[in-house]
Amino acid sequence: MTADITVALADEQATVPQRRQRRRHPGLQRQRLILAIIRWVTISLFLIAVLVPFLYMLLLSVRPIESLLRNPGSLLPSLDELTLDTYIDVLAPVSEGGQGFLTFLVNSAIVAISSVILALLVAIPGAYAIARLPFFGSRQVSALFLAAYLFPAIVVAIPLFVIFTRIGLRGSLLGLVIVYAAQTVPVAIYMMRNYFETVPASVEEAGLMDGLSRVGVLRRITLRLAMPSIMATGLFVFMIAWNEFLFALLFLVDRRPLWTVSLGLAQLSGSIEVPTTVLMAGSVVLTLPIIVLFFLTERLLTGGLTAGAEKG
């Protein structure tokens, strides 16, 4: 036994110089250097493609229209030209001569947050049932949910418009919340089901043996362990509800006080009387909350979306 251990140690020690030699090999070092350069060049190109348009939009939004007309090709305005009057014009109420985007922001926040709450209330028990409770066709349910996304939204837009008009929900934020929740529940169930399957079944069985009901196990044990996935799913639903335009246009086109911020921006872009600087300010107002929310929760969103991927 001792001789075998000695031989194994000798073989292991003999491989150390070989590993160092491989690390010092000029071909390998050159290959690693080339790959590192390609990686950083690719990242830089993606950053330029994403950040330059947003930076240009931001710079235009703080310039007066007179400066833009005098020198339209100038990307960097002088400091004495910078102004926030465009944002005041965008956020001010319509009664005061503004565009009313502050009201649109409040409407969008109400719709997005309500959609998240309603979607999670439906998706959490649905995902848990698919992941834990055996029933006929449980494995085919997820495929059926995802199959709903094979059809474009315009296919169901007209039937929903007719149905909600007849029941009196068209032209209200409640109808929009119901549509957004129904639109996002299938993918929310699919995302959370994968995470619920990674929760050890032995933990839930211990809770059942301690006298908890299935609902109690879900509320006290599973939800706490699956909180990253729940938060990531909630952020996903929030972003969809915040940026959605088609259903908001169909449901609220004749109710301007209830417009969401995406409708307000579409109205600005379609008006020839609105200066370009005001349009850029409205674009920043629409985009900035999502950017801030994403960077504040980026780690949670990434972890929740990737967790359980090996079981998907």
Side-chain angles (χ1 to χ4, degrees), residues 193-270:
R193 184 212 66 173
N194 292 335
Y195 199 98
F196 283 149
E197 289 182 348
T198 64
V199 177
S202 58
V203 177
E204 297 182 353
E205 291 173 358
L208 293 173
M209 293 180 63
D210 289 339
L212 292 176
S213 62
R214 179 64 71 172
V215 176
V217 169
L218 173 63
R219 183 170 58 89
R220 297 188 179 185
I221 299 177
T222 309
L223 289 186
R224 296 182 181 180
L225 296 176
M227 192 55 64
S229 178
I230 294 173
M231 294 299 296
T233 305
L235 290 172
F236 175 77
V237 175
F238 184 92
M239 292 179 184
I240 289 180
W242 182 272
N243 295 314
E244 204 280 331
F245 172 74
L246 175 61
F247 291 108
L249 176 65
L250 288 177
F251 281 53
L252 304 175
V253 64
D254 55 349
R255 300 290 298 274
R256 183 183 175 90
L258 297 179
W259 277 9
T260 59
V261 69
S262 59
L263 277 180
L265 184 63
Q267 184 265 337
L268 287 183
S269 63

Side-chain angles (χ1 to χ4, degrees), residues 258-310:
L258 297 179
W259 277 9
T260 59
V261 69
S262 59
L263 277 180
L265 184 63
Q267 184 265 337
L268 287 183
S269 63
S271 176
I272 60 175
E273 301 177 357
V274 177
T276 303
T277 54
V278 176
L279 175 60
M280 294 298 103
S283 301
V284 173
V285 169
L286 170 64
T287 309
L288 197 58
I290 290 295
I291 293 178
V292 173
L293 181 63
F294 177 80
F295 278 107
L296 289 177
T297 58
E298 184 267 338
R299 289 186 179 181
L300 184 62
L301 179 62
T302 304
L305 290 176
T306 57
E310 70 276 2

Side-chain angles (χ1 to χ4, degrees), residues 136 143 147 155 186-187 280 296:
F136 178 76
V155 173
V187 70
M280 294 298 103
L296 289 177

Side-chain angles (χ1 to χ4, degrees), residues 8-311:
L9 290 175
D11 293 339
E12 183 178 358
Q13 291 176 358
T15 59
V16 172
Q18 296 176 1
R19 293 175 183 173
R20 292 178 179 175
Q21 186 177 4
R22 285 197 297 268
R23 292 196 191 103
R24 295 174 181 175
H25 194 279
L28 292 176
Q29 291 181 350
R30 191 180 304 112
Q31 184 180 7
R32 290 174 182 174
L33 178 61
I34 293 174
L35 291 177
I37 293 175
I38 293 176
R39 180 182 63 182
W40 285 110
V41 168
T42 304
I43 293 175
S44 301
L45 291 177
F46 275 112
L47 288 177
I48 292 173
V50 172
L51 295 180
V52 169
F54 182 77
L55 179 61
Y56 184 65
M57 178 178 67
L58 183 62
L59 292 175
L60 284 182
S61 68
V62 294
R63 292 181 63 179
I65 187 61
E66 296 82 6
S67 172
L68 181 61
L69 294 176
R70 285 196 306 267
N71 192 4
S74 176
L75 180 61
L76 299 176
S78 59
L79 293 179
D80 57 345
E81 292 180 344
L82 300 182
T83 179
L84 295 178
D85 291 342
T86 51
Y87 289 93
I88 296 176
D89 185 12
V90 166
L91 296 175
V94 178
S95 59
E96 300 179 5
Q99 303 297 329
F101 262 61
L102 185 59
T103 302
F104 301 159
L105 286 172
V106 174
N107 293 338
S108 292
I110 293 174
V111 170
I113 294 174
S114 301
S115 300
V116 170
I117 295 174
L118 183 58
L120 290 181
L121 286 177
V122 176
I124 288 175
Y128 183 80
I130 295 175
R132 283 290 185 262
L133 304 181
F135 59 91
F136 178 76
S138 59
R139 293 190 175 273
Q140 288 73 28
V141 168
S142 297
L144 291 176
F145 282 156
L146 293 181
Y149 284 85
L150 297 176
F151 304 95
I154 192 63
V155 173
V156 297
I158 303 304
L160 286 176
F161 178 84
V162 174
I163 293 173
F164 277 68
T165 300
R166 292 182 176 179
I167 63 179
L169 287 179
R170 189 183 71 84
S172 66
L173 295 182
L174 177 60
L176 205 58
V177 169
I178 295 175
V179 172
Y180 289 165
Q183 186 182 15
T184 54
V185 159
V187 70
I189 290 178
Y190 184 81
M191 290 168 59
M192 287 190 293
R193 184 212 66 173
N194 292 335
Y195 199 98
F196 283 149
E197 289 182 348
T198 64
V199 177
S202 58
V203 177
E204 297 182 353
E205 291 173 358
L208 293 173
M209 293 180 63
D210 289 339
L212 292 176
S213 62
R214 179 64 71 172
V215 176
V217 169
L218 173 63
R219 183 170 58 89
R220 297 188 179 185
I221 299 177
T222 309
L223 289 186
R224 296 182 181 180
L225 296 176
M227 192 55 64
S229 178
I230 294 173
M231 294 299 296
T233 305
L235 290 172
F236 175 77
V237 175
F238 184 92
M239 292 179 184
I240 289 180
W242 182 272
N243 295 314
E244 204 280 331
F245 172 74
L246 175 61
F247 291 108
L249 176 65
L250 288 177
F251 281 53
L252 304 175
V253 64
D254 55 349
R255 300 290 298 274
R256 183 183 175 90
L258 297 179
W259 277 9
T260 59
V261 69
S262 59
L263 277 180
L265 184 63
Q267 184 265 337
L268 287 183
S269 63
S271 176
I272 60 175
E273 301 177 357
V274 177
T276 303
T277 54
V278 176
L279 175 60
M280 294 298 103
S283 301
V284 173
V285 169
L286 170 64
T287 309
L288 197 58
I290 290 295
I291 293 178
V292 173
L293 181 63
F294 177 80
F295 278 107
L296 289 177
T297 58
E298 184 267 338
R299 289 186 179 181
L300 184 62
L301 179 62
T302 304
L305 290 176
T306 57
E310 70 276 2
K311 293 239 180 171

